[in-house]
């Protein structure tokens, strides 16, 4: 006989108090319930139940075995649920919070493609880089840079965003071309200022914290798209995500500088509320982003 089935019958007989009640609950005959219990007793070589014509009770060994059977059966149900999730189609509303610019240019198009693939999936996107995932009841968040409070969250690194220094040929003809990080002090930069704070330009150093440079500049903007536009008009040098200026670089409207200096990488992470099982809609979104986003950001 199947041991797992016999364990389930045994647990049911204990839970409902008799073989007859277990037979009704399981839609099988009373003798078959008894056969399952005897199979376990003979296999184990111990008595699990004391039975009379009026009542039944667990033996000491039966009590311990009963508790373990409940655990095993619960794990079997959980395992089946995981397998079912793997095969089930993503559906329902997927609430996602993403950084504004990266979300608009890169993440939203990928999630739209996912929605076209799964017609029962609904998308609810918020372009808010600081939204609280738990309080906002989001299913998924995409964040760049260092992660801070991760309590109650699962995380997965899905891509890296490379930063480059760039400018126009006309600006370089008029002002010279920087050949080292020290040369940046002699140039006009287009500064990114957000929430009252100037964001330094970061450059990796092996085995050390990154170099932080805050170049001088007449322009301070709080939008990276606007900074890319200003750089394309020759207003100064800019430090921007490669994916944002890639087409301008290919078209020759901008050129990259400091080619011998490695570009700083901002890691991109997916975060979602901690649970015993990852919902299929979340798994599908994270897998899709992890597969496609690195190609867009490098």
């Amino acid at each position: 006989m199947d041991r797992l089935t016999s364990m389930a019958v045994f647990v049911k007989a204990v839970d409902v108090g008799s073989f007859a009640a277990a037979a009704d609950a399981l839609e099988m005959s009373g003798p078959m319930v008894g056969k399952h219990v005897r199979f376990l007793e003979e296999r184990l070589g111990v008595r699990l139940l004391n039975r009379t014509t009026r009542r039944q009770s667990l033996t000491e060994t039966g009590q311990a075995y009963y508790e373990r059977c409940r655990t095993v059966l619960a794990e079997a149900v959980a395992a089946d649920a995981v397998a079912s999730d793997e095969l089930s189609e993503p559906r329902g509303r997927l609430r996602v919070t993403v950084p504004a610019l990266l979300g608009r240019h890169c993440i939203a198009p990928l999630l739209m493609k996912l929605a076209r693939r799964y017609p029962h999936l609904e998308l609810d996107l918020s372009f808010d880089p600081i939204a609280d995932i738990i309080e906002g009841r989001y299913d998924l968040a995409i964040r760049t840079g260092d992660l801070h409070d991760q309590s109650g969250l699962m995380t997965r690194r899905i891509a890296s965003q490379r930063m480059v220094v760039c400018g126009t040929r006309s600006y370089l003809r008029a002002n010279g071309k920087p050949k080292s990080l020290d040369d940046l002090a002699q140039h006009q930069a287009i500064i990114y200022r957000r929430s009252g704070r100037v964001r330094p330009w970061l450059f990796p150093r092996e085995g050390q914290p990154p170099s932080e440079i805050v170049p001088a500049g007449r322009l301070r903007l709080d939008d990276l798209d606007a900074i890319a536009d200003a750089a394309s008009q020759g207003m100064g040098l800019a430090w921007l995500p490669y994916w944002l200026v890639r087409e301008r670089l290919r078209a020759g409207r901008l050129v990259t500088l400091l080619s011998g200096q490695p570009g700083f990488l901002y890691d991109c992470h997916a975060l979602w509320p901690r649970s015993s099982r990852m919902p299929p809609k979340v798994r599908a979104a994270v897998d899709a982003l992890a597969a496609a986003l690195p190609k867009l950001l490098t």
Side-chain angles (χ1 to χ4, degrees):
M1 300 183 75
D2 178 71
R3 183 169 31 151
L4 201 61
T5 301
S6 296
M7 292 167 69
V9 173
F10 167 65
V11 168
K12 178 61 70 174
V14 174
D15 288 343
V16 299
S18 71
F19 283 12
D24 289 340
L26 298 172
E27 297 184 346
M28 65 174 58
S29 67
M32 181 56 72
V33 172
K35 187 175 181 180
H36 278 289
V37 174
R38 286 194 300 275
F39 164 73
L40 292 175
E41 291 179 330
E42 290 171 2
R43 185 179 184 281
L44 297 169
V46 296
R47 180 176 290 278
L48 299 173
L49 286 168
N50 293 316
R51 296 184 66 239
T52 68
T53 55
R54 293 188 178 183
R55 62 186 297 271
Q56 71 178 29
S57 63
L58 285 165
T59 65
E60 184 177 350
T61 301
Q63 179 66 47
Y65 188 69
Y66 166 75
E67 297 295 339
R68 291 300 182 96
C69 284
R70 285 173 59 90
T71 300
V72 169
L73 293 170
E75 287 297 321
V77 170
D80 286 348
V82 169
S84 177
D85 281 352
E86 290 285 352
L87 297 174
S88 63
E89 178 178 303
R91 61 180 61 243
R93 179 174 295 180
L94 178 66
R95 301 191 69 239
V96 188
T97 170
V98 298
L101 194 65
L102 181 67
R104 192 164 63 244
H105 283 268
C106 299
I107 297 171
L110 295 176
L111 293 180
M112 303 289 181
K113 184 177 180 180
L114 187 72
R116 287 195 295 271
R117 179 180 177 186
Y118 297 110
H120 299 295
L121 181 66
E122 303 174 30
L123 286 180
D124 186 340
L125 301 184
S126 173
F127 297 89
D128 183 351
I130 60 173
D132 188 286
I133 303 168
I134 301 299
E135 288 188 7
R137 304 181 71 177
Y138 288 101
D139 300 299
L140 178 64
I142 305 301
R143 296 289 182 258
T144 59
D146 293 335
L147 298 178
H148 300 292
D149 184 10
Q150 302 174 46
S151 58
L153 298 174
M154 303 292 289
T155 67
R156 176 180 171 186
R157 179 183 169 279
I158 56 174
S160 292
Q161 176 178 259
R162 179 165 63 95
M163 305 296 292
V164 296
V165 178
C166 56
T168 60
R169 289 187 172 86
S170 61
Y171 172 88
L172 298 174
R173 283 196 296 269
N175 298 277
K177 185 177 182 180
K179 297 180 180 178
S180 69
L181 296 185
D182 292 338
D183 291 345
L184 293 176
Q186 311 303 319
H187 286 267
Q188 284 290 316
I190 306 167
I191 305 300
Y192 183 48
R193 180 174 179 175
R194 195 68 181 263
S195 302
R197 185 170 71 90
V198 171
R199 304 297 172 89
W201 295 8
L202 304 179
F203 298 91
R205 293 184 297 176
E206 187 174 355
Q208 300 182 62
S211 298
E212 295 190 9
I213 296 177
V214 183
R218 294 186 299 128
L219 287 182
R220 298 190 175 194
L221 307 174
D222 68 358
D223 181 83
L224 293 180
D225 260 332
I227 291 176
D229 289 340
S232 298
Q233 294 172 33
M235 298 298 294
L237 304 182
W239 185 68
L240 292 166
Y242 171 75
W243 61 264
L244 181 61
V245 293
R246 177 172 45 215
E247 295 307 318
R248 301 174 198 244
L249 294 171
R250 289 175 177 172
R253 296 195 298 274
L254 289 172
V255 295
T256 56
L257 305 170
L258 303 174
S259 57
Q261 169 66 46
F264 188 79
L265 297 176
Y266 279 110
D267 284 339
C268 298
H269 288 89
L271 302 92
W272 62 94
R274 186 180 299 275
S275 64
S276 58
R277 295 196 314 248
M278 190 177 185
K281 61 184 179 181
V282 176
R283 179 183 294 109
V286 172
D287 287 347
L289 293 174
L293 198 57
K295 301 172 185 177
L296 294 178
L297 300 190
T298 57

